[in-house]
């Protein structure tokens, strides 16, 4: 087996030039995805997780631009490729699943037609229909022939997301990027779709880069997790280690601020404040204004460094071997954010 | 229902709301029964959670309760009086409700200041001097009173939702209905708002109806929980009891589908997935509406509609088998 | 089911046209003075002469009855005789309709052939040099009123292309070459602003579609950019564009009056203007009805095109 990572992102920096000045949405992000591995990229809105995903395929919307870094997909640097070479890799070496199945499919064309486009963009073999039907059957669609002829508006949200997944997987890519694939779905449908993605990627040996804000989805799906905050990765660890002993106060706070359905009418510990305005980032550690552990060291911006085996964190405290034991309560709740 | 004979703050009796659905050129002029024979009650100072997936009728129910929609049939009584009574009495009763919506930016006039928006319910009552009340209310929801002079777009999403909570509470309503009020917020902010709502209830004694697709969020707020499926109530229970023992197979599926931030638990999860999609509410399945997806469905379920029955202690469930020992075993294997 | 839809549509069209005809008739009847005064003349006529003519024309009967007679005749193509020219209104209309129809359809053809591709290119190159070039050059023509363009063209034409300018209207049957030359200038005049509108509308519709999620999906599966723009996106931008082009025909009908006047084309617009000036009531009513019918038919056609263009309109 080849041990070269499917995807290697190195010091990626993506910037949006707007009327009010430049916003660095992704700031020096590095990570790798091994073959067959599922890496979770976790963060809240504005953390840069979706822009990171779009950067990989060169699909950053205007006025965004990758200003620095390297993105290697199967060993070739995506940032030096010409447009046509980039296009040939999209969908072929790396598929993508988007958040909203209601808008991700073209309303004017049948589902089969759109899947045909995804195939013929890369090769013109004759067994296209068979491949479409097999792909639809693989994602659990009953009666694939009939489904291929139907239009997106004739399907439920869950069915459409299955089609989007089938399209992402149809050229058997080595990597699938899924950007909040279940956020727009009902919970019982979410469970079905996640289970499907798990089965498919396992059967095909596909690596998965799963972008989500939902820690439950991460726990259910991922082998490894990278947590993003304000454009940076602040912690990276194997999934069990991250949930059991997180070494960044943001991860810690995020994990604790999820209400437990088994304990009704109890206050949930919260992170104070809200994510920073990306146009006016705090100096030093970007999490400092919301951090209950902050001290004078945090005036300087910390790097992402190893804190344990395969475990990195961007925090002065844990990098010096200190533990995140709460001296102050995290349950500061009703303060202004 | 309370046993001592006092009238509950809110009573909803056999509420129905239908929508006519027309398609040009098609003979299928269907009737969508968005809310179909729903009864519930709410005591002063209590929170009632309503949970269900898209198409279950929870948002229609919210609009019916606050009087934004008129029911097709059934009654809504506040302190024993019908909110659709004619004239001033009905109007006065409808004013005892306030609503907080999912999208805080969309529910506030972008051209008016936050303070002006927050003071709206007071002005609707004819109160002119509102500055002091606005300041007090903004402080109470954890905002800087100076934010009253800003426009909504100058506030973050979390701040906007705090402001719309302030607006809902300022005129001292009896009941505030939350329709997915935290769904569009980031997770770290969701917990902040949930805690704020608990604090405010302790302070002001307001009753809440908290409607959400997120079972965990509903549980965090509610004294009692109602589960809806295709326009009907399938289970109603005290939230502590519900947490330990949901009875309806659909409630159990909802509970099972709620992913927990615990990789060990998640890996051990049994595959107790519900089959298929929610059927169209225009022609819902006959018999038990859940039978098309239910792992326990029998011929009886396909023919006979189960009524909402009390299994003891006011725990209501609409299932032929709920509570029987065989049922509990089959469906709860996914719960750790 | 399709027949049912078409049936409903036709019934709707008939209703609208009936309402329009009633309005047209009512306006004619409500305007002070009537046909009698035109025929008999304002001065020197006796009361008896008036009454006589009124009886002959049926103007002494109640309005509803008059309307009923007028409508039954109109349905048979008989709009009466013009008291001014002495010819039947129908004969004049038959002469005028082809001229206006040709001009309108040619304008639509030219403006769509230029405006649609220009709009697509502008949208694809949004805010780049090509987009700005297309928009400024076309929008300048749009901001100038038709009569100014027409007169400018006349002036420029008389100076630089006197041949083209001197040609007065020649029917196709008489001399096809001369006919084309005689239509060139009016066509240019009215096509400019319409092309600009089509371009702007297409650009807007395309831009919206190009920003939609499914375009990103198509890019992410590796579909070629040109194919995304001209097939995936354009297909979705078409419904609003087609609606707008249909709507433009309405604007065109108004523009005809001006253009036909400037270039002395014997079309409906010019006929209408003359009829108004001479208080030729039967002619005015008939022309209005023709305009209204054209508008209703265009709208119905656009409506029926919609399900073809948008699968969501087809029902399940």
């Amino acid at each position: 087996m080849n041990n070269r990572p499917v995807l290697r992102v190195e010091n990626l920096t993506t910037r949006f030039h707007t009327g009010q000045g430049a916003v660095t949405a992704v700031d020096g992000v590095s990570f790798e995805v091994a073959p067959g591995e599922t890496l979770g990229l976790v963060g809240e809105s504005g953390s840069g997780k979706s822009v990171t995903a779009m950067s990989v395929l060169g699909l950053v919307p205007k006025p965004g631009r990758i200003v620095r870094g390297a993105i290697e997909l199967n060993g070739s640097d995506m940032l030096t490729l010409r447009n046509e070479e980039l296009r040939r890799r999209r969908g072929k070496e790396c598929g993508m699943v988007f958040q909203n199945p209601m808008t991700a499919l073209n309303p004017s064309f049948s589902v089969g037609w759109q899947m045909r486009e995804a195939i013929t963009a890369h090769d013109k073999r004759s067994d296209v229909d068979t491949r479409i039907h097999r792909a639809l059957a693989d994602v659990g669609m009953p009666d694939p022939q009939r489904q291929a002829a139907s239009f997106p508006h004739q399907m439920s949200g869950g069915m459409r997301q299955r089609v989007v997944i089938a399209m992402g997987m149809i050229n058997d890519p080595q990597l699938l990027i899924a950007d909040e694939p279940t956020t727009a779905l009902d919970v019982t449908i979410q469970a079905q779709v996640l289970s499907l993605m798990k089965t498919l990627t396992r059967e095909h040996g596909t690596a998965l880069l799963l972008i989500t804000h939902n820690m439950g989805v991460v726990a259910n799906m991922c082998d490894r997790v990278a947590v993003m905050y304000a454009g940076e990765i602040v912690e990276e660890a194997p999934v069990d280690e991250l949930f059991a002993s997180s070494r960044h106060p943001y991860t810690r706070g995020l994990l604790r601020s999820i209400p437990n359905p088994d304990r009704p009418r109890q206050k949930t510990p919260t992170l104070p404040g809200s994510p920073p305005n990306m146009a006016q980032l705090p100096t030093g550690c970007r999490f400092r204004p919301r951090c209950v552990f902050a001290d004078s060291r945090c005036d300087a911006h910390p790097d992402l460094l190893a804190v344990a085996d395969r475990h990195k964190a961007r925090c002065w405290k844990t990098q010096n071997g200190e533990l995140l034991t709460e001296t102050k309560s995290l349950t500061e709740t009703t303060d202004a954010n | 229902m309370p046993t001592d004979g006092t009238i509950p703050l809110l009573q909803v009796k056999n509420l129905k709301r239908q929508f006519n659905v027309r398609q040009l050129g098609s003979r299928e002029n269907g009737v969508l029964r968005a809310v179909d024979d729903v009864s519930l009650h709410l005591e002063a100072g209590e929170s009632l959670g309503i949970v269900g997936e898209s198409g279950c009728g929870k948002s229609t129910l919210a609009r019916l309760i606050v009087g934004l929609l008129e029911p097709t049939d059934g009654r809504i009584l506040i302190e024993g009086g019908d909110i659709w009574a004619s004239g001033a009495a009905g109007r006065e009763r409808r004013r005892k409700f306030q609503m907080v919506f999912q999208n805080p930016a969309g529910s506030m006039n972008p051209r008016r200041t936050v303070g002006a928006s927050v003071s709206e319910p007071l002005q609707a009552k004819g109160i002119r001097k509102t500055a002091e009340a606005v300041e007090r209310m903004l402080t109470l929801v954890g905002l800087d009173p100076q934010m009253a002079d800003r426009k909504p777009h100058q506030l973050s999403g979390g701040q906007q939702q705090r402001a719309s909570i302030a607006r809902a509470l300022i005129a001292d309503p009896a009941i505030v209905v939350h329709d997915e009020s935290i769904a569009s917020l980031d997770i770290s902010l969701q917990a902040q708002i949930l805690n704020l709502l608990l604090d405010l209830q302790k302070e002001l004694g307001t009753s809440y109806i908290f409607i959400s697709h997120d079972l965990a969020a509903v549980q965090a707020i509610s004294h009692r929980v109602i589960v809806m499926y295709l326009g009907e109530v399938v289970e109603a229970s005290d939230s502590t009891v519900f947490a330990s023992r949901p009875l309806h197979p659909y409630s159990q599926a909802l509970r099972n589908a709620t992913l927990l931030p615990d990789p060990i638990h998640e890996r051990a999860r049994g595959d107790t997935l519900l089959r298929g999609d929610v059927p169209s509410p225009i022609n819902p399945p006959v018999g038990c509406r859940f039978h098309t997806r239910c792992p326990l469905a029998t011929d009886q379920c396909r023919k006979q509609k189960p009524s909402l029955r009390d299994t003891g202690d006011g725990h209501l469930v609409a299932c032929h088998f709920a509570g029987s020992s065989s049922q509990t075993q089959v469906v709860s294997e996914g719960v750790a | 089911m399709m027949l049912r839809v078409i049936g409903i549509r036709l019934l709707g069209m008939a209703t609208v046209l009936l309402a329009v005809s009633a309005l047209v008739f009512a306006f004619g009847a409500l305007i002070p003075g009537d046909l009698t005064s035109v025929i008999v003349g304002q001065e020197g006529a006796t009361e008896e002469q008036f009454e006589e003519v009124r009886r002959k024309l049926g103007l002494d009967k109640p309005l509803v009855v008059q309307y009923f007679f007028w409508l039954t005749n109109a349905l048979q193509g008989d709009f009466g005789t013009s008291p001014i020219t002495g010819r039947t209104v129908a004969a004049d209309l038959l002469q005028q309709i082809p001229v206006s129809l040709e001009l309108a359809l040619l304008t639509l053809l030219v403006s769509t052939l230029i405006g649609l591709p220009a709009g697509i290119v502008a949208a694809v190159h949004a805010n780049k040099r090509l987009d700005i070039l297309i928009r400024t050059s076309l929008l300048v023509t749009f901001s100038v009123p038709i009569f100014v363009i027409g007169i400018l063209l006349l002036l420029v034409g008389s100076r630089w292309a006197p041949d083209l300018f001197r040609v007065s209207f020649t029917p196709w049957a008489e001399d096809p070459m001369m006919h084309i030359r005689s239509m060139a200038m009016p066509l240019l005049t009215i096509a400019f602003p319409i092309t600009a509108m089509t371009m702007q509308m297409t650009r807007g519709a395309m831009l919206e579609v190009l920003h939609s999620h499914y375009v990103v999906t198509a890019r992410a599966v590796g579909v070629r950019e040109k194919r995304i723009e001209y097939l995936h996106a354009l297909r979705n931008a078409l419904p609003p564009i087609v609606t707008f082009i249909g709507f433009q025909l309405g604007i065109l009908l108004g523009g005809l009056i001006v253009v036909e006047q400037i270039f002395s084309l014997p079309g409906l617009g010019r006929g209408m203007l003359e009829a108004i000036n001479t208080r030729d009531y039967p002619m005015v009513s008939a022309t209005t009805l023709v305009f209204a019918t054209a508008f209703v038919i265009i709208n119905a056609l656009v409506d029926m095109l919609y399900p073809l263009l948008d699968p969501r309109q087809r029902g399940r």
Side-chain angles (χ1 to χ4, degrees):
Chain A
M1 179 130 178
N2 188 353
N3 272 333
R4 191 183 66 188
V6 177
L7 176 68
R8 200 175 68 80
V9 173
E10 181 82 48
N11 198 20
L12 175 71
T13 303
T14 306
R15 196 167 286 164
F16 286 77
H17 291 273
T18 63
Q20 281 91 39
V23 168
T24 308
V26 178
D27 198 351
V29 162
S30 306
F31 61 87
E32 289 180 358
V33 187
E37 180 189 41
T38 296
L39 174 71
L41 201 55
V42 189
E44 297 180 272
S45 57
S47 63
K49 58 190 195 304
S50 287
V51 178
T52 304
M54 296 307 256
S55 300
V56 170
L57 283 179
L59 293 173
V60 181
K62 283 174 214 166
R65 220 163 57 80
I66 298 174
V67 291
R68 236 195 335 273
I71 296 168
E72 269 178 31
L73 183 65
N74 288 324
S76 55
D77 187 349
M78 301 287 276
L79 299 186
T80 59
L81 292 181
R82 286 183 306 122
N83 282 343
E84 173 61 14
E85 290 169 324
L86 193 60
R87 178 194 73 74
R88 267 193 234 133
R89 281 169 174 79
R90 289 185 193 137
K92 178 84 177 167
E93 294 181 17
C94 175
M96 190 133 186
V97 175
F98 296 93
Q99 172 171 357
N100 192 344
M102 303 320 254
T103 55
L105 292 170
N106 194 322
S108 291
F109 297 97
S110 74
V111 159
W113 188 92
Q114 295 182 55
M115 295 182 72
R116 176 182 296 274
E117 288 286 289
I119 298 174
T120 54
H122 302 288
D123 64 81
K124 310 262 183 227
R125 297 215 313 269
S126 55
D127 60 342
V128 176
D129 281 330
T130 334
R131 283 175 68 189
I132 292 172
H133 297 154
R134 200 191 317 131
L136 285 173
D138 277 352
V139 292
M141 305 272 283
D143 198 356
Q145 269 93 343
R146 200 173 57 84
Q147 298 288 3
S150 49
F151 287 89
H153 73 271
Q154 295 165 322
M155 297 178 162
S156 68
M159 282 297 174
R160 290 191 214 187
Q161 197 62 316
R162 284 166 193 267
V163 171
V164 174
I165 292 171
M167 266 172 81
M169 294 286 291
I170 200 156
N171 292 307
D172 208 0
Q174 290 87 341
L175 174 69
L176 185 69
I177 300 180
D179 188 357
E180 301 272 10
T182 58
T183 305
L185 302 176
D186 277 324
V187 272
T188 59
I189 309 299
Q190 161 171 293
Q192 293 172 1
V193 168
L194 288 178
S195 158
L196 168 73
M197 284 182 45
K198 211 187 276 182
T199 319
L200 272 183
T201 50
R202 201 173 290 158
E203 277 171 8
H204 293 251
T206 318
L208 177 63
L209 177 61
L210 180 67
I211 287 127
T212 181
H213 70 276
N214 185 329
M215 282 294 184
V217 172
V218 172
N220 182 275
M221 295 287 288
C222 300
D223 303 315
R224 249 171 0 103
V225 190
V227 181
M228 286 190 75
Y229 185 79
E232 299 174 321
I233 291 181
V234 293
E235 185 163 9
E236 189 190 315
V239 68
D240 288 300
E241 173 140 346
L242 188 95
F243 282 82
S245 56
S246 51
R247 303 288 182 93
H248 194 283
Y250 175 63
T251 317
R252 173 70 65 94
L254 209 55
L255 285 171
R256 296 179 48 140
S257 65
I258 300 161
N260 185 337
D262 293 339
R263 290 208 315 256
R265 279 197 64 84
Q266 300 222 345
K267 275 204 181 180
T268 312
T270 58
L271 274 169
S274 53
N277 178 348
M278 292 302 286
Q280 297 162 356
L281 284 172
T283 53
C285 174
R286 292 178 183 176
F287 185 62
R288 182 181 185 174
R290 303 176 74 187
C291 186
V292 290
F293 303 102
D295 55 35
S296 58
R297 283 176 293 185
C298 309
D299 288 343
H301 186 250
D303 287 327
L304 183 67
L305 296 176
V307 288
D309 182 36
R310 299 182 69 212
H311 193 159
K312 292 184 222 168
R314 193 184 288 276
C315 176
W316 292 115
K317 194 174 168 74
T318 54
Q319 284 168 7
N320 283 330
E322 294 165 49
L323 291 174
L324 297 178
T325 42
E326 274 92 326
T327 49
K328 275 189 268 179
S329 165
L330 273 173
T331 49
E332 300 290 329
T333 55
T334 52
D335 51 344
N337 42 63
Chain B
M1 294 278 157
T3 44
D4 56 7
T6 55
I7 307 165
L9 175 64
L10 173 77
Q11 288 170 282
V12 169
K13 292 182 170 172
N14 304 98
L15 197 64
K16 291 182 185 168
R17 173 68 204 207
Q18 307 181 344
F19 296 98
N20 292 321
V21 191
R22 289 224 176 79
Q23 283 173 307
L24 185 70
S26 158
R27 273 163 223 273
E28 280 180 80
N29 283 353
V31 176
L32 190 155
R33 293 172 212 280
V35 171
D36 202 5
D37 203 5
V38 168
S39 299
L40 54 87
H41 62 97
L42 178 67
E43 306 295 335
E46 193 192 35
S47 303
L48 174 67
I50 300 177
V51 68
E53 295 177 285
S54 52
C56 76
K58 55 188 193 299
S59 282
T60 308
L61 181 61
R63 279 160 179 73
L64 285 169
I65 289 174
V66 299
L68 284 176
L69 263 181
E70 272 194 73
T72 312
D73 197 10
R75 296 174 75 195
I76 300 159
L77 310 173
I78 184 153
E79 289 156 351
D82 197 317
I83 69 161
W84 289 107
S86 59
R91 250 196 323 277
E92 201 53 51
R93 285 177 195 138
R94 291 198 289 279
R95 229 174 247 163
K96 296 191 174 174
F97 296 90
Q98 282 290 334
M99 194 156 172
V100 180
F101 297 91
Q102 171 170 0
N103 181 353
S107 65
M108 254 187 272
N109 187 334
R111 275 183 285 278
R112 303 189 68 188
T113 62
V114 171
S117 283
V118 168
S119 70
E120 267 165 22
L122 285 182
Q123 275 155 1
K125 275 187 165 180
I127 298 170
R128 292 269 166 270
K129 290 192 174 172
T130 58
E132 211 173 292
V134 169
E135 191 182 320
R136 190 169 45 86
M137 214 56 231
L138 288 180
T139 316
L140 206 55
V141 298
L143 288 176
D144 185 341
Q146 291 178 346
M147 289 193 178
D149 300 328
R150 305 222 191 133
K151 296 283 167 63
H153 71 89
Q154 293 170 301
L155 271 55
S156 71
Q159 290 169 337
Q160 286 172 353
Q161 201 56 302
R162 283 173 193 262
S164 42
I165 290 168
R167 177 176 60 180
L169 289 170
I170 197 164
D172 200 17
I175 299 171
V176 177
V177 176
H178 288 261
D179 187 10
E180 297 279 10
S181 61
I182 62 164
S184 59
L185 299 177
D186 272 319
I187 12 172
S188 70
L189 303 182
Q190 289 188 3
Q192 288 179 6
I193 299 290
L194 287 173
N195 289 351
L196 171 69
L197 291 178
L198 287 173
D199 287 342
L200 287 171
Q201 188 165 50
K202 206 175 289 170
E203 179 121 8
L204 305 171
T206 320
S207 301
Y208 295 141
I209 293 181
F210 190 88
I211 294 176
S212 173
H213 68 284
D214 181 351
L215 182 61
V218 164
Q219 287 280 68
I221 284 288
S222 310
H223 297 92
R224 280 188 307 118
V225 174
I226 282 180
V227 182
M228 284 185 74
Y229 188 77
L230 284 177
E232 295 178 333
V233 173
V234 295
E235 183 161 359
S237 164
D238 178 89
S239 60
T240 322
V241 175
F242 186 81
S244 59
R245 211 164 89 90
L247 287 180
H248 197 281
Y250 177 64
S251 312
Q252 294 174 345
L254 267 187
R255 173 64 191 78
N256 276 356
T258 305
L259 303 175
L260 300 180
D262 178 354
I264 297 159
H265 167 95
E266 286 300 324
R267 266 195 297 275
R269 146 189 308 279
D271 238 8
T272 49
L273 299 178
L274 279 188
R275 289 167 296 176
D277 281 318
V278 183
S280 157
I282 295 177
N283 287 306
V286 288
C288 173
R289 290 191 180 172
F290 185 58
H291 83 249
T292 53
R293 303 175 78 197
C294 184
L296 302 172
T298 64
D299 272 346
Q300 188 190 2
C301 307
R302 284 180 270 276
K303 286 178 193 136
Q304 191 194 344
K305 186 191 186 82
S307 57
L308 198 61
R309 63 189 164 88
D310 196 335
T311 61
D313 297 343
H315 191 157
L316 306 177
V317 64
C319 174
H320 295 305
F321 304 107
S324 70
S325 55
S326 63
Q327 178 256 352
T328 322
Q329 263 177 4
V330 177
V331 191
S332 59
E333 63 189 31
V335 186
Chain C
M1 201 199 87
M2 200 58 208
L3 280 177
R4 207 179 128 88
V5 174
I6 292 173
I8 294 172
R9 277 279 143 69
L10 286 177
L11 210 68
M13 280 168 69
T15 319
V16 171
L17 280 177
L18 199 69
V20 170
S21 73
L23 267 179
V24 165
F25 183 82
F27 276 127
L30 290 176
I31 295 169
D34 59 25
L35 206 47
T36 336
S37 53
V38 180
I39 294 172
V40 181
Q42 302 282 20
E43 287 158 36
T46 62
E47 201 58 34
E48 287 76 37
Q49 282 173 307
F50 262 104
E51 283 311 309
E52 173 69 22
V53 176
R54 287 178 74 89
R55 218 178 356 264
K56 257 193 200 159
L57 290 169
L59 293 178
D60 56 337
K61 302 210 167 58
L63 267 183
V64 184
V65 179
Q66 288 184 40
Y67 171 63
F68 179 74
F69 281 128
W70 178 75
L71 190 66
T72 25
N73 287 335
L75 282 176
Q76 292 158 12
D78 177 8
F79 293 96
T81 308
S82 162
I84 310 294
T85 61
R87 294 188 298 267
T88 63
V89 172
D92 273 4
L93 285 181
L94 278 179
Q95 298 264 309
Q96 293 169 357
I97 288 175
V99 178
S100 294
L101 195 64
E102 183 188 348
L103 188 58
L105 290 181
L106 276 178
T107 307
L108 212 57
L109 190 73
V110 169
S111 65
T112 306
L113 281 181
I114 300 172
L116 192 77
I120 298 171
V121 171
V124 168
H125 296 264
N127 298 323
K128 290 196 192 132
R129 233 172 288 160
L130 196 53
D131 174 39
I132 292 163
L133 185 76
I134 290 173
R135 280 161 68 205
T136 40
S137 53
L138 274 173
L139 288 181
V140 162
T141 69
F142 176 62
S143 56
V144 183
I146 293 182
F147 63 86
V148 176
I149 299 180
I151 290 165
L152 275 178
L153 273 175
L154 271 179
L155 289 175
V156 173
S158 63
R159 180 86 176 76
W160 303 106
D163 281 1
L164 216 56
F165 160 67
R166 280 203 198 99
V167 174
S168 60
F169 179 76
T170 319
W172 175 267
E174 233 168 69
D175 182 348
M177 238 1 253
M178 287 299 270
H179 173 76
I180 292 170
R181 285 166 68 180
S182 67
M183 290 300 262
M185 288 256 251
L187 181 60
L188 269 183
T189 306
I190 197 166
F192 262 125
I194 302 272
T195 307
M197 278 194 276
T198 303
M199 183 279 296
Q200 188 68 2
M201 178 66 200
T202 306
R203 181 180 181 274
M206 277 295 285
L207 266 186
E208 203 183 312
V209 171
L210 284 172
H211 279 117
S212 61
H213 289 167
Y214 50 80
V215 164
V216 182
T217 308
R219 278 197 194 115
V221 297
V223 180
R224 285 181 179 79
E225 196 60 28
K226 285 275 168 290
R227 201 171 162 83
I228 292 176
E229 286 155 7
Y230 291 91
L231 187 58
H232 294 232
L234 181 58
R235 182 61 205 274
N236 285 282
L238 273 183
I241 297 173
V242 169
T243 310
F244 184 73
I245 289 175
F247 179 66
Q248 272 183 332
L249 258 175
I251 304 170
L252 246 173
L253 297 178
L256 287 179
I257 298 182
V258 179
V259 175
E260 290 177 359
Q261 189 63 24
I262 296 174
F263 294 97
S264 305
L265 289 187
L268 280 174
R270 189 150 186 258
M272 176 89 149
L273 214 57
E274 264 168 34
I276 292 171
N277 280 335
T278 55
R279 293 213 280 165
D280 187 345
Y281 291 115
M283 190 71 200
V284 173
S285 310
T287 317
T288 313
L289 203 57
V290 169
F291 275 132
T293 311
F295 205 69
V296 168
I297 290 176
I298 293 158
N299 267 313
L301 282 179
V302 169
D303 272 1
M304 286 187 202
L305 267 175
Y306 239 94
L308 288 181
L309 295 172
D310 186 351
R312 282 166 297 186
Q313 306 281 325
R314 274 173 229 165
R316 286 166 195 242

